[in-house]
Amino acid sequence: MSTAETAGATAAEASDISSTAELVVIGGGVAGLVAAWEAARAGRSVTVLEAATSFGGMVGMHRVGGVALDAGAESFATRGGTVAALLGDLGLADQIVTPTRVPARVHHDGVSRPMPATGVLGIPTELDAPGLAEVLGADGLARARRDLELPVEVTGARPGVGASVAASSGRVPISLAALVTARMGEAVTDRLLRPVVRGVHSVEPEELAATDLLPGVLDRVAETGSLAAALAGIRAAAPAGSAVQGLRGGIHRLVAALVADLTRLGADLRTDAAVAALTPDGGGWIVRTASATLRADRVLLACAPHAWAFLRPVPEHAPWAPRPGAGGAPRGATRSLATLAADWPSPSGVDLVTLMLDASALPEHPRAGVLVAVPGRGAKALTYASAKWDWLGQAAGPDRAIIRLSYAAGIAGEDPEARATLALADAGRLLGITLGSRALVDHARVSLVLPRPVRAWGMSHHVDRARAAVATDDSLDLAGTWIAGTGLASVIADARAAGERVSGF
């Protein structure tokens, strides 16, 4: 039986080709659009195939109470200037905005308390900071302060001290959770570190090496003698200014700008175009959707491995199944990627529930973002969006408040009324007020599928295999959160590089 990785196009299939392109991009999220845009700017003919009804992926737009809001990502990391550079190229540089410094709180034991202002990933750098005792408790604070007197073990692990702070020790890397617990205790890990890492990076601190989010921290601990001092140095060395920025009107404007410029450049953009089969054809590819067959010189996979059903063997009865003996050499890249996709860790899900509230119906409360230490069956984080973004507060008006809550997939439920009741109860609980149904103006839910973070324990093996699979086939490349890492800064930098590679015929 012929398979997708070994067969070439049949004569009948070739005669059925409806269009050709130098590059076909499978996946119209931000990564796919950015890579396609780079290729189109280089003069290549480009087709983008998106399975959903709209472009953008995890960067989308929806309306709540008549206000256009981000349905996914709402900000970007400023590191490297990557996102700002792209926005500048698209004529949006003057629309970049910095968030208002909204206080951050952490919810534990039924109470939301201010998060210490001086910290890194929630880990305190000043162990006498106001409010720290309230968050950690007297015993937790006393244990955290032992960080200043504990000896540093450089060559190996020792309970209560911290495993290998020598980056070159050759031992198994210590996890972020293990390092913080060993130096400062479980209260710091569970009440401060965990909600930050879970809320921002969608992973548990046990699943990250200490150096994944804190490069050089082990050497710094060895040099300074404490984790608090090491992190204080990292904080002091960070560039001045906000670590994140946004876009006036919403990050979703980036997607609209990319689509508009791709259209101007002559790219062929298609939604509702799920790929059914990807077949090698000599040095190029046949790409088939339910309604079209395309011939491409190069293909960029900008969708996650769980969506790669088109790399599986083509059933013999499929109308486009190649005939036995059809031309075309075996393509090891597709065979390797199909195997890799079958082994790729499953994605997770998150539900974002946005509430538009009648501000006049709300009692006095802190307009703060809240991270939840132990979410259980409730929200794991609350973003006070209308306080965080001036443009959004203005769009909503003075008599409206907009709050977004994050849930693990499945908790928010399918029934709109029950979902609104749950979200109102969670928002009131985290803000420390009572929210009745009369305060609700409108609400909406967005469900997102999140690839396992590339920094999570063991993911480097999968990522390296994926990169290696396409390294020997210059007609195939990869892009997306699933391989570049979480956040627009990582995704865009990687996608621009991929776009340049697939443009270099």
Side-chain angles (χ1 to χ4, degrees):
M1 182 175 75
S2 297
T3 63
E5 76 267 12
T6 61
T10 66
E13 187 176 37
S15 66
D16 191 36
I17 292 173
S18 56
S19 62
T20 62
E22 290 176 292
L23 172 67
V24 167
V25 177
I26 303 177
V30 167
L33 293 175
V34 168
W37 179 75
E38 286 287 357
R41 288 206 306 165
R44 302 301 177 191
S45 60
V46 179
T47 297
V48 180
L49 304 176
E50 169 55 46
T53 57
S54 61
F55 295 107
M58 287 184 282
V59 178
M61 185 273 284
H62 66 160
R63 291 186 178 276
V64 182
V67 179
L69 303 174
D70 286 316
E74 55 150 13
S75 63
F76 59 86
T78 59
R79 64 177 183 274
T82 303
V83 183
L86 175 63
L87 292 171
D89 290 340
L90 293 168
L92 294 173
D94 62 342
Q95 299 298 299
I96 296 174
V97 293
T98 298
T100 302
R101 291 191 176 276
V102 175
R105 299 169 74 86
V106 62
H107 190 82
H108 187 269
D109 287 341
V111 180
S112 295
R113 299 179 176 89
M115 184 170 283
T118 57
V120 176
L121 296 177
I123 310 164
T125 59
E126 295 181 13
L127 296 176
D128 293 319
L132 193 55
E134 285 74 13
V135 175
L136 298 179
D139 291 344
L141 180 57
R143 175 61 184 87
R145 286 175 173 165
R146 288 188 60 204
D147 171 55
L148 304 178
E149 60 191 42
L150 284 170
V152 173
E153 173 61 61
V154 178
T155 59
R158 193 164 77 220
V161 176
S164 185
V165 295
S168 61
S169 68
R171 296 177 179 269
V172 176
I174 182 174
S175 75
L176 181 58
L179 175 65
V180 174
T181 301
R183 296 302 309 180
M184 293 189 175
E186 292 182 355
V188 171
T189 297
D190 292 337
R191 301 187 184 190
L192 293 174
L193 172 69
R194 188 179 307 283
V196 171
V197 173
R198 180 193 289 135
V200 176
H201 298 281
S202 298
V203 69
E204 298 295 334
E206 287 84 359
E207 299 177 271
L208 296 170
T211 53
D212 283 341
L213 298 182
L214 300 172
V217 68
L218 303 181
D219 290 333
R220 285 179 178 269
V221 172
E223 293 167 3
T224 63
S226 74
L227 179 59
L231 294 180
I234 290 175
R235 182 181 175 88
S242 175
V244 299
Q245 291 180 318
L247 197 59
R248 187 179 305 280
I251 291 294
H252 60 267
R253 293 184 61 201
L254 166 62
V255 173
L258 284 167
V259 168
D261 214 38
L262 278 163
T263 301
R264 179 186 65 80
L265 292 166
D268 181 5
L269 305 178
R270 307 185 190 185
T271 56
D272 284 318
V275 174
L278 177 64
T279 308
D281 177 42
W285 300 90
I286 299 296
V287 186
R288 183 176 285 273
T289 70
S291 60
T293 300
L294 302 86
R295 171 61 166 77
D297 295 322
R298 297 188 175 188
V299 168
L300 178 77
L301 299 181
C303 54
H306 69 266
W308 291 355
F310 49 78
L311 290 180
R312 298 171 187 163
V314 178
E316 288 183 349
H317 63 273
W320 58 87
R323 297 179 312 200
R331 297 286 277 275
T334 51
R335 183 171 58 250
S336 298
L337 289 175
T339 300
L340 182 145
D343 295 337
W344 201 271
S346 299
S348 60
V350 62
D351 287 338
L352 304 176
V353 179
T354 300
L355 304 176
M356 175 176 279
L357 304 173
D358 179 354
S360 66
L362 305 182
E364 188 62 32
H365 63 283
R367 286 165 171 74
V370 183
L371 294 167
V372 182
V374 185
R377 295 293 296 175
K380 63 179 181 178
L382 178 150
T383 301
Y384 212 117
S386 55
K388 181 177 181 180
W389 301 105
D390 285 342
W391 70 264
L392 182 51
Q394 294 167 9
D399 57 343
R400 296 287 185 262
I402 296 177
I403 290 169
R404 186 163 80 170
L405 299 115
S406 302
Y407 292 86
I411 293 176
E414 296 298 324
D415 179 71
E417 185 175 345
R419 185 167 61 238
T421 299
L422 172 66
L424 283 169
D426 278 346
R429 175 171 58 89
L430 299 182
L431 294 173
I433 59 178
T434 299
L435 283 176
S437 59
R438 68 184 185 89
L440 183 64
V441 177
D442 195 12
H443 85 286
R445 181 191 65 173
V446 174
S447 297
L448 301 176
V449 176
L450 305 177
R452 185 163 176 77
V454 299
R455 286 180 169 138
W457 214 272
M459 281 303 295
S460 61
H461 169 68
H462 295 280
V463 171
D464 290 346
R465 285 176 60 203
R467 297 286 191 195
V470 300
T472 58
D473 189 339
D474 62 7
S475 72
L476 194 63
D477 217 317
L478 310 168
T481 299
W482 62 275
I483 195 166
T486 305
L488 286 173
S490 297
V491 170
I492 288 172
D494 183 76
R496 295 194 80 161
E500 291 173 358
R501 288 194 301 269
V502 293
S503 301
F505 286 77

